[in-house]
Amino acid sequence: DIQMTQSPSTLSASVGDRVTITCRASQSISFWLAWYQQKPGKAPKLLIYKASSLENGVPSRFSGSGSGTEFTLTINSLQPEDFATYYCQHYNSYPYTFGQGTILEI
Amino acid sequence: EVQLVESGGGLVQPGGSLRLSCVASGLTSSVYGMGWVRQAPGRGLEWVSSISSSGTSTYYADSVRGRFTFSRDNSRSTLYLQMNSLWAEDTAIYYCAKERYSSSSVVGLFDYWGQGTLVTVSS
């Protein structure tokens, strides 16, 4: 199975900051990677798919990049509503594994 | 508006069974693959199972294969997850999720999620 490893596990930032979260796959997944945002008590929300494609309705301050085994999620000009937990997930083949999550805190 | 509503969660004893349901509305659910993803309390997300749009193909995580069965009734826009031989490690919120692409196969990319139903396995 493909393992997904995110770093950091926790990230402290302030409103207006630019932050980057990294996700590494244990083997190449081409660009079959998604990023989700989850807030407490809520279901995950799809932000990015195919490594860099922005899901409909997601603000343009979110962006994704990478291919193969290394990927990043960047959030420019953090807004108060962006403080949440972020997960990467590969969908190269099943089983579709998630990273352990990155908590973005104020 | 796409809505996925799960039900059927609750408290069950170790070794017991439970059947979860997920009703899809606001879409032609029969053209989309679907999945279940779970989240243990305070933990991360774990993909559990996926089913093709027709229901003829199913896929399972190793942790549930042989114990869980994913099925669907497209005439009722309803998905089912039959869970047998439940153990404490299965305690989690179970989310029903829709595949982003309409296809006869599954991709594993989910764009709509339900709010989840909590399954607690405890004596």
Side-chain angles (χ1 to χ4, degrees), chain A residues 1 34 36 38 41-46 48-50 55-56 87 89-92 94-100, chain B residues 37 39 43-47 50 59-62 65 95 99-101 106-111 113-115:
Chain A
D1 297 356
Y36 297 88
Q38 187 180 34
K42 300 294 187 181
K45 173 186 176 183
L46 178 63
I48 302 281
Y49 63 97
K50 209 173 177 183
E55 177 66 342
N56 297 331
Y87 295 93
Q89 178 225 343
H90 88 81
Y91 53 103
N92 180 72
Y94 96 97
Y96 312 116
T97 48
F98 291 83
Q100 80 277 18
Chain B
V37 176
Q39 186 170 37
R43 305 296 296 273
L45 301 169
E46 178 188 14
W47 171 78
S50 287
Y59 307 84
Y60 300 95
D62 287 346
R65 185 177 292 113
Y95 294 102
E99 291 246 345
R100 191 180 188 278
Y101 303 106
V106 299
V107 174
L109 175 64
F110 304 111
D111 63 346
W113 298 58
Q115 284 307 298

Side-chain angles (χ1 to χ4, degrees), chain A residues 25-48:
Chain A
S26 60
Q27 64 189 73
S28 177
I29 57 170
S30 186
F31 39 73
W32 304 118
L33 184 100
W35 289 97
Y36 297 88
Q37 176 194 66
Q38 187 180 34
K39 295 182 179 180
K42 300 294 187 181
K45 173 186 176 183
L46 178 63
L47 300 175
I48 302 281

Side-chain angles (χ1 to χ4, degrees), chain A residues 72-84:
Chain A
T72 59
L73 171 70
T74 299
I75 312 172
N76 287 302
S77 187
L78 274 172
Q79 298 300 299
E81 60 267 29
D82 298 337
F83 293 94

Side-chain angles (χ1 to χ4, degrees), chain B residues 69-89:
Chain B
T69 302
F70 194 177
S71 61
R72 65 191 299 164
D73 181 347
N74 284 338
S75 67
R76 297 175 182 269
S77 297
T78 303
L79 297 303
Y80 303 100
L81 186 67
Q82 177 67 43
M83 305 186 297
N84 299 329
S85 301
L86 286 162
W87 303 109
E89 297 71 34

Side-chain angles (χ1 to χ4, degrees), chain B residues 15-81:
Chain B
S17 298
L18 213 54
R19 189 178 82 157
L20 305 184
S21 299
C22 171
V23 177
S25 61
L27 75 160
T28 306
S29 61
S30 61
V31 302
Y32 292 96
M34 301 290 291
W36 289 95
V37 176
R38 68 185 180 182
Q39 186 170 37
R43 305 296 296 273
L45 301 169
E46 178 188 14
W47 171 78
V48 172
S49 181
S50 287
I51 192 167
S52 61
S53 55
S54 65
T56 55
S57 298
T58 51
Y59 307 84
Y60 300 95
D62 287 346
S63 57
V64 307
R65 185 177 292 113
R67 300 187 297 124
F68 289 12
T69 302
F70 194 177
S71 61
R72 65 191 299 164
D73 181 347
N74 284 338
S75 67
R76 297 175 182 269
S77 297
T78 303
L79 297 303
Y80 303 100
L81 186 67

